[in-house]
Amino acid sequence: MIRRLLTGLVGASVPLLGEVVAPAAGPGTPCANIAALTIPSVTIKSATAIAAGPFQPSGSGNALTLPSFCRVEATARPTSDSEIRFEVWIPPADTWNSKFQGVGNGGYSGAIGYAAMAAGLRRGYAVASTDTGHAGGDMKFGQGHPEKIIDYAYRSIHITAEASKLIVRDHAGRFPDHSYFNGCSAGGQQALSEAQRFPEDYDGIIAGDPANNRIRQTFGFLWSWVASHGTDGKPLIPEAKLSMITKAVVAACDGIDRLKDGLIDDPRRCHFDPASLLCKAAGDEATCLTAPQVVAVKKIYDGVKNPRTGEQIFAGWPRLRRSAAQSWRSYITDPQEPMRIGFFRFFLFHDPNWDYRTIDWDRDLAYAEQKLPIMSAIDPDLSAFKKRGGKLLMYTGWSDPVVPPQDTVAYYDSVVKTMGGLEKTREFFRFFLAPGMGHCGGGPGPNTFDTLTALEQWTEKGIAPDKLIAQHLTGGKIDRTRPLCLYPRVARWKGTGTIDDAVNFACVTDAPSAPKTTTPTRDHQ
Ligand SMILES: [Ca+2]
């Protein structure tokens, strides 16, 4: 087959595949011979046919049970300081669904997402994942390495998409018919970054709980940590009190959505005041909050504001219905230092000893946004992605304790405003909120749903999703289903039948504020 030497892989804005005149059709290259493929700035380390059965890549925690595939390991070096590892797994011709899927990463994780690759491969996809250009989950890699920060911020995902399609083409003899990106958290940011910066890379994109407002989110983490820790660096709110606060929040706000089901449908309507838990007597007790604890919780709810202009820098964290794995603990109360403090030390100020107490919420935010705009993916103009026929499906959990859902709503609203209104936006960009779902899953609300099938139907058959049916499982058993409605619609119980079955709910456009009605509520059994 023809192997065309491509130029300009390092170019951030040049869609390379457009330079390939015509997709080659042919039998393709046997797996072992892919290593001879030449792609500028890319070194193919190995290409190996893997038999069906257990497979455990080195560095991966668990063995995966997989169908047979061709495993390609490669490294891209678009700059002299780059070292972007990525892998492409390609099913044999008779089981390949003729599609490609790029999968996203979590946090600052410098690791290939094998589990997500496995999920795609099992569905018949050729799949790819990258370590984003560094190893490990901390942020020290950015110290003195501005190109590695760019690789992490957006370049590695783009290069992996382009190089992977060329590798798939080499093996299969043709390009994929459809290409999808699927990511949550940092992967959600990667998803939106692709739609904004490289609209030609993917036909369809899934953005889950996107950490796309990353600079301001990092300022939000710092704010919440400072608010919830004493000057000695010790947390102000013990674990048991987080549970108590949650119980009080649910008691106060569960019924606002007219259904007492243990879920707060839209936390923006919940105005629970932690001062209602203030200890009556001086001193501390397990069943109430001290005055400093009340202040801390309020600050976390309220979020960070610019002290000079009063502007809301970043949304506060929602009043949560927490579970053990989905609470403020991991990102706010438990860390010894403010979460992602490495952003300030290694990316922004290049000072490993930077002291968070010196933060200037006004000056330092302006500096960060001027210096590192690459770290965010907040451009509301998705015209190019829409024009090329791209479809974007975004979802988030209303109880996300890592990326405040209000910020995700704000991004969608900004796109609606820029793209000519809700209807025009829905033509290519649809958003679903999951009440009671945590960060990318988990939580007391239904949190398991199939976005990829919905996106395939939309992209390939023009059937746009109006709702997603979500399941909640306990011990592997489904105990509740609920529709996730097309934003801004919400799921409302029809008034008959169990509240644990999605068929008894309708997606409706709700009143903008809590109604003062006597509509009967029903306690969840
Ligand atoms: Ca409720």
Side-chain angles (χ1 to χ4, degrees):
M1 64 178 288
I2 298 168
R3 296 189 176 193
R4 181 179 295 272
L5 191 70
L6 296 175
T7 56
L9 191 67
V10 300
S13 60
V14 182
L16 299 178
L17 294 182
E19 297 174 14
V20 178
V21 176
T29 306
C31 186
N33 296 352
I34 292 176
L37 177 65
T38 303
I39 303 173
S41 307
V42 173
T43 304
I44 296 180
K45 181 183 153 200
S46 71
T48 315
I50 306 288
F55 176 70
Q56 185 162 13
S58 64
S60 169
N62 299 311
L64 304 158
T65 302
L66 297 174
S68 64
F69 65 101
C70 171
R71 180 193 191 195
V72 180
E73 296 177 277
T75 302
R77 296 182 183 88
T79 75
S80 59
D81 198 30
S82 293
E83 187 76 12
I84 301 168
R85 289 177 56 239
F86 67 97
E87 290 196 26
V88 193
W89 294 359
I90 311 166
D94 58 345
T95 56
W96 185 37
N97 67 6
S98 300
K99 299 183 235 182
F100 168 70
Q101 185 183 157
V103 299
N105 300 79
Y108 287 80
S109 132
I112 288 170
Y114 290 118
M117 290 181 79
L121 186 73
R122 292 190 192 106
R123 287 178 71 138
Y125 276 89
V127 288
S129 174
T130 171
D131 70 355
T132 71
H134 69 277
D138 70 42
M139 302 168 72
K140 290 178 185 162
F141 72 88
Q143 176 82 24
H145 294 280
E147 295 292 348
K148 284 190 190 297
I149 295 175
I150 296 171
D151 287 340
Y152 167 78
Y154 67 82
R155 189 161 51 200
S156 58
I157 294 295
H158 168 59
I159 283 179
T160 298
E162 296 230 307
S164 297
K165 285 188 213 173
L166 290 169
I167 290 168
V168 170
R169 172 186 180 240
D170 192 54
H171 184 46
R174 61 192 173 90
F175 281 115
D177 293 342
H178 299 282
S179 294
Y180 298 105
F181 186 84
N182 190 356
C184 198
S185 193
Q189 175 188 22
Q190 293 164 346
L192 294 178
S193 176
E194 283 291 290
Q196 295 166 18
R197 295 186 169 101
F198 304 103
E200 294 299 327
D201 279 359
Y202 290 101
D203 306 302
I205 292 176
I206 297 167
D209 298 64
N212 62 310
N213 200 355
R214 188 176 289 272
I215 293 173
R216 291 180 175 233
Q217 183 190 10
T218 307
F219 276 71
F221 281 144
L222 182 58
W223 168 263
S224 294
W225 192 93
V226 171
S228 58
H229 291 75
T231 49
D232 58 359
K234 299 247 168 61
L236 294 170
I237 312 166
E239 155 66 12
K241 289 203 180 183
L242 288 179
S243 304
M244 176 190 71
I245 296 164
T246 295
K247 282 195 187 113
V249 170
V250 174
C253 295
D254 186 357
I256 292 173
D257 53 33
R258 287 167 279 163
L259 187 68
K260 288 190 175 171
D261 55 354
L263 306 176
I264 299 169
D265 186 85
D266 179 347
R268 291 175 303 178
R269 296 181 174 191
C270 178
H271 301 291
F272 167 79
D273 184 351
S276 63
L277 295 173
L278 181 65
C279 297
K280 300 281 186 286
D284 194 1
E285 287 182 46
T287 55
C288 59
L289 297 177
T290 64
Q293 288 169 343
V294 168
V295 172
V297 172
K298 259 187 81 61
K299 281 184 173 175
I300 295 172
Y301 287 161
D302 290 347
V304 55
K305 287 191 171 73
N306 184 316
R308 184 173 61 83
T309 65
E311 178 207 5
Q312 185 88 34
I313 291 173
F314 195 62
W317 269 259
R319 288 157 167 79
L320 284 179
R321 175 75 167 93
R322 64 178 291 281
S323 62
Q326 291 281 358
S327 80
W328 288 353
R329 289 181 60 188
S330 307
Y331 283 77
I332 299 175
T333 59
D334 281 7
Q336 300 286 308
E337 292 188 304
M339 203 65 185
R340 308 308 189 203
I341 194 169
F343 172 84
F344 300 96
R345 289 179 173 162
F346 306 118
F347 286 21
L348 190 61
F349 297 125
H350 297 284
D351 174 6
N353 299 313
W354 181 78
D355 183 344
Y356 66 84
R357 283 165 291 209
T358 67
I359 188 77
D360 183 315
W361 301 105
D362 181 29
R363 179 197 65 204
D364 293 341
L365 178 67
Y367 178 61
E369 297 202 313
Q370 186 179 18
K371 191 172 176 211
L372 290 170
I374 53 164
M375 288 297 293
S376 291
I378 51 175
D379 188 348
D381 183 356
L382 299 176
S383 311
F385 184 69
K386 180 180 184 181
K387 192 177 172 197
R388 61 90 79 214
K391 300 288 184 282
L392 179 53
L393 192 161
M394 184 165 75
Y395 66 88
T396 201
W398 259 133
S399 291
D400 189 328
V402 183
V403 179
Q406 306 96 302
D407 191 66
T408 310
V409 170
Y411 174 68
Y412 189 79
D413 287 346
S414 74
V415 174
V416 167
K417 198 172 166 194
T418 303
M419 297 300 296
L422 191 58
E423 288 309 315
K424 285 192 158 53
T425 302
R426 281 176 176 169
E427 290 171 9
F428 75 100
F429 183 11
R430 293 187 168 220
F431 179 33
F432 299 88
L433 282 148
M437 184 176 93
H439 187 57
C440 297
N447 54 61
T448 302
F449 43 94
D450 184 357
T451 47
L452 185 55
T453 298
L455 185 64
E456 288 171 331
Q457 292 285 311
W458 192 11
T459 305
E460 297 167 30
K461 298 180 180 168
I463 303 169
D466 279 328
K467 62 184 174 188
L468 304 169
I469 302 299
Q471 303 172 336
H472 184 270
L473 291 88
T474 301
K477 193 166 173 286
I478 299 169
D479 53 14
R480 175 175 280 177
T481 61
R482 192 68 66 88
L484 309 183
C485 302
L486 183 61
Y487 173 83
R489 289 179 203 142
V490 292
R492 289 287 174 258
W493 184 49
K494 292 173 182 171
T496 55
T498 169
I499 65 168
D500 294 329
D501 191 334
V503 300
N504 299 320
F505 285 77
C507 288
V508 301
T509 303
D510 209 7
S513 60
K516 293 175 190 166
T517 71
T518 54
T519 305
T521 59
R522 183 181 152 178
D523 288 312
H524 176 45
Q525 302 301 306

